[in-house]
């Protein structure tokens, strides 16, 4: 029994590295912290990606989660709950810059009203300033035209 455990130990250790995951939540949190400035908005596209910030809540220091209604702990959910789509739109329109945390390119887009509004407002009222790709995610900064 002991020999079997020792034989499997290198395999189990390799399975627990950031490189073995589909996403690297530590790298994503660092990318958000580096991309955002105090007062910027942050959006998760889709909302379930908010879970990427849970291991390091400090990465959001100074950023405003524009879609959040109730945090995960307060809502007793893994991702928290979001405000209705019209409220998301109104909050987004008050922002000069938004850091969007999203799935890698090529992933299917959620068709919920909130997710549609997020994408539509970004496309209509903001320009993409830059995107950083990290393992399993994209962190994109959007700003009002002429302010990148």
């Amino acid at each position: 029994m002991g020999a079997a455990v020792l034989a499997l130990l290198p395999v189990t250790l390799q399975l627990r590295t950031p490189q073995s995951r589909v996403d690297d939540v530590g790298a994503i949190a660092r990318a958000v912290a580096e991309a955002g400035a105090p007062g910027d908005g942050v959006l998760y596209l889709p909302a379930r990606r908010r879970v990427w910030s849970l291991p390091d809540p400090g990465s959001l220091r100074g950023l405003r989660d524009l879609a959040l209604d109730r945090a995960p702990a307060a809502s007793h959910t893994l991702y928290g709950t979001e405000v209705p789509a019209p409220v998301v739109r109104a909050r987004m329109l008050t922002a000069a810059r938004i850091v969007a945390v999203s799935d890698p390119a090529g992933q299917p887009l959620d068709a919920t009203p909130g997710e549609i509004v997020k994408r539509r407002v970004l496309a209509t009222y903001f320009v993409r300033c830059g995107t950083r790709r990290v393992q399993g995610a994209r962190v994109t900064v959007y700003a009002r035209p002429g302010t990148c």
Side-chain angles (χ1 to χ4, degrees):
M1 181 71 116
V5 170
L6 288 175
L8 292 175
L9 186 60
V11 173
T12 60
L13 292 176
Q14 182 181 5
L15 291 176
R16 297 179 184 271
T17 66
Q19 294 76 22
S20 68
R21 293 186 44 86
V22 173
D23 53 18
D24 182 348
V25 294
I28 296 166
R30 285 188 300 278
V32 171
E34 292 167 6
D40 286 352
V42 65
L43 285 175
Y44 296 91
L45 298 118
R48 68 181 168 276
R49 296 303 175 219
R50 186 173 284 107
V51 73
W52 286 335
S53 296
L54 295 179
D56 184 9
S59 65
L60 298 177
R61 186 159 296 130
L63 302 179
R64 298 177 299 134
D65 189 330
L66 299 173
L68 186 64
D69 182 26
R70 296 179 66 208
S75 65
H76 305 289
T77 65
L78 186 57
Y79 314 117
T81 57
E82 294 198 339
V83 295
V87 178
V88 172
R89 181 182 190 284
R91 288 180 179 180
M92 289 176 71
L93 292 175
T94 67
R97 282 177 27 114
I98 296 175
V99 178
V101 186
S102 59
D103 287 328
Q107 296 296 310
L109 301 174
D110 287 12
T112 64
E115 298 304 319
I116 292 168
V117 162
K118 291 174 193 175
R119 293 191 301 267
R120 191 171 292 154
V121 171
L122 287 173
T124 304
Y125 298 99
F126 293 85
V127 295
R128 185 176 313 168
C129 299
T131 299
R132 180 172 172 188
R133 288 164 184 77
V134 293
Q135 186 173 334
R138 289 178 296 166
V139 178
T140 304
V141 175
Y142 290 88
R144 296 297 182 149
T147 62
C148 277

